[in-house]
Amino acid sequence: MNHTHIYLDHAATTPVAREVAEVMHEVHLEEFGNPSSVHSFGRKARRIIDEARLTMASSIGANEKDIIFTSGGTEADNLALVGTAMANKKNGNHVIISAQEHHAVLHAAEFLENIGFQVTYLPVYPDGKILISDLKAALTEETILVSVMFVNNETGVIQPIAEIGRLLADHRAYFHTDAVQAYGLLEIDVKALGVDMLSVSAHKINGPKGIGFLYVNDNVRLQPIGYGGEQERKRRPGTENVAAVAGFQKAVQLVVENRQDNENKYCRYKQLFLHILREKQVDFEVNGDENSMIASTFNLSFPGTNVETILTNFDLAGIAASSGSACTAGSIEPSHVLTAMYGKENERGKNSIRFSLGSYNTEENVKEAAERIAEILLRLTRKAGDTHDR
């Protein structure tokens, strides 16, 4: 069967916007100077970076000096965790993160544990959130850093960031949030939220891959985790990727401009999608609190199925979605996020799929996708039912 392909995996990455590609193409051809060079070629490149930094800063209510360009969200998370822990270890050796962080934070925390830091992993509940009371109980005199993601990349659930900011206002621990999935969809003001550091990635907002930024408040002591030149105010060495920075700036301008429209649109698409599944009597449950999610991402559990079979069938039907489960050597490792929410034994860890909407979607293709998906799931659960009947 020859199906048109429908992309429902924008939380993994997004298509580059045409305007972004055009800006980058122009910079690649016209502005090849090294931003550290003092001649006119270098100065032109430097201006592009300075202007982009202003755009990034104003999009989160920050000062442009506080924006560090990185190679993406992973490097931003690593720099936030490792850089802060190393620079502040004489004040304490305790770090707190949530159990459902992105691996860029989880693995950075594991590295810190291996070199002598203590890490507390806050539990996450079936609604997909941490509890402020757990964080309060975990804080000690030794705590130097708290890192809790803004929006979970698998469930789309929004964490109580402003409340965490208020709690930490009287504590010396720095507060970092991985805002990779929140940026562009939620209004973000770092001062109002009480956030000291915040990570963003361009390829989640129709920008290029391989570039992101870390916002670092002026008061944060941060040790670089790379060595070389004095770029990014000595915090991140390496010749800047000027074309990617320019593309990133354009993506930010577009996403800021269209934020409200996008939110309304994805909300509508999501309701349409769920309505069709219910109408076709597909058996599913939403993972996490539906009222605390961003508009574009939702994670559904399909009882009596498994991730591998679903995704294979989706792919054959031209549907791109994903799961947080890792398929290693033929066995499915349940999603660490859903395991944190529901426990190791819960089937949701192995039968849940993440759908994430974005620029590639229209009302028509969301409707078409939901109909194909309903058909597949009804067929799979019928098959599963048949084998149980024997």
Side-chain angles (χ1 to χ4, degrees):
M1 243 169 144
N2 208 350
H3 285 299
T4 50
H5 287 259
I6 302 174
Y7 190 71
L8 298 174
D9 202 16
H10 290 80
T13 195
T14 57
V16 173
R18 183 173 295 280
E19 300 94 319
V20 169
E22 282 165 2
V23 166
M24 290 177 72
H25 182 63
E26 199 175 313
V27 173
H28 271 307
L29 295 178
E30 306 295 332
E31 309 296 351
F32 62 86
N34 185 323
S36 299
S37 302
V38 293
H39 49 59
S40 63
F41 293 88
R43 289 199 306 275
K44 278 180 167 174
R46 165 64 48 210
R47 193 175 311 127
I48 290 171
I49 287 174
D50 289 346
E51 284 173 8
R53 208 186 297 278
L54 256 174
T55 301
M56 311 302 169
S58 66
S59 74
I60 56 168
N63 185 311
E64 75 268 23
K65 293 189 192 76
D66 301 338
I67 301 292
I68 303 174
F69 285 115
T70 65
S71 63
T74 295
E75 188 194 344
D77 287 346
N78 275 255
L79 180 54
L81 266 79
V82 179
T84 309
M86 300 307 261
N88 295 278
K89 60 180 177 212
K90 67 175 195 300
N91 297 331
N93 75 335
H94 183 226
V95 174
I96 300 173
I97 69 171
S98 85
Q100 62 162 6
E101 294 298 307
H102 188 274
H103 283 117
V105 167
L106 286 174
H107 292 163
E110 277 170 33
F111 166 75
L112 292 175
E113 280 187 287
N114 291 336
I115 59 169
F117 286 86
Q118 281 188 303
V119 180
T120 298
Y121 297 85
L122 297 175
V124 182
Y125 296 90
D127 65 357
K129 294 187 227 178
I130 66 153
L131 277 180
I132 296 292
S133 54
D134 287 342
L135 173 56
K136 207 170 184 173
L139 280 171
T140 72
E141 301 268 292
E142 290 284 302
T143 311
I144 51 173
L145 175 67
V146 174
S147 181
V148 176
M149 70 198 321
F150 207 128
V151 168
N152 184 267
N153 53 306
E154 287 186 33
T155 61
V157 172
I158 306 164
Q159 298 302 315
I161 298 301
E163 284 177 71
I164 299 171
R166 283 196 290 277
L167 173 65
L168 295 176
D170 303 326
H171 195 286
R172 70 170 174 198
Y174 294 124
F175 177 25
H176 166 253
T177 186
D178 172 341
V180 166
Q181 298 288 346
Y183 186 77
L185 280 159
L186 299 176
E187 213 164 319
I188 296 176
D189 181 328
V190 287
K191 302 284 188 282
L193 292 167
V195 168
D196 298 302
M197 291 176 284
L198 178 139
S199 307
V200 169
S201 179
H203 78 103
K204 309 291 189 183
I205 58 161
N206 305 100
K209 292 173 182 61
I211 181 127
F213 74 74
L214 177 67
Y215 154 76
V216 181
N217 188 323
D218 208 24
N219 68 359
V220 177
R221 291 166 49 122
L222 188 78
Q223 182 178 309
I225 56 174
Y227 302 91
E230 301 198 342
Q231 291 89 350
E232 299 299 303
R233 304 171 78 84
K234 302 185 182 179
R235 298 169 299 188
R236 200 269 183 176
T239 300
E240 299 90 340
N241 186 344
V242 185
V245 167
F248 191 5
Q249 178 188 19
K250 188 67 187 172
V252 169
Q253 288 166 338
L254 292 171
V255 89
V256 167
E257 204 178 301
N258 301 314
R259 196 182 67 78
Q260 199 54 61
D261 286 350
N262 286 340
E263 193 181 336
N264 297 340
K265 186 167 65 179
Y266 303 148
C267 222
R268 209 170 61 244
Y269 292 174
K270 175 174 160 178
Q271 294 316 319
L272 172 69
F273 185 93
L274 296 176
H275 172 72
I276 291 170
L277 294 195
R278 289 188 178 112
E279 203 178 45
K280 305 266 186 192
Q281 297 184 322
V282 173
D283 184 14
F284 73 89
E285 288 170 285
V286 179
N287 293 320
D289 174 15
E290 253 190 279
N291 300 314
S292 307
M293 291 177 185
I294 50 169
S296 57
T297 300
F298 49 104
N299 192 302
L300 306 182
S301 156
F302 299 104
T305 65
N306 73 70
V307 159
E308 240 167 339
T309 315
I310 296 178
L311 289 179
T312 306
N313 278 274
F314 279 9
D315 195 36
L316 290 170
I319 306 280
S322 70
S323 82
S325 315
C327 299
T328 43
S331 72
I332 294 176
E333 290 286 314
S335 142
H336 76 279
V337 172
L338 299 178
T339 298
M341 285 164 65
Y342 300 113
K344 272 192 175 62
E345 300 310 310
N346 197 298
E347 281 304 302
R348 291 189 194 222
K350 295 182 180 181
N351 67 19
S352 294
I353 303 290
R354 175 188 73 187
F355 300 96
S356 44
L357 306 164
S359 62
Y360 202 87
N361 298 127
T362 60
E363 198 160 317
E364 290 70 41
N365 75 14
V366 168
K367 186 170 180 287
E368 171 69 21
E371 282 166 358
R372 284 187 214 169
I373 285 165
E375 202 178 302
I376 290 166
L377 287 157
L378 290 170
R379 191 177 72 237
L380 291 178
T381 45
R382 220 174 14 248
K383 265 189 196 160
D386 290 347
T387 53
H388 290 316
D389 292 343
R390 286 197 186 118

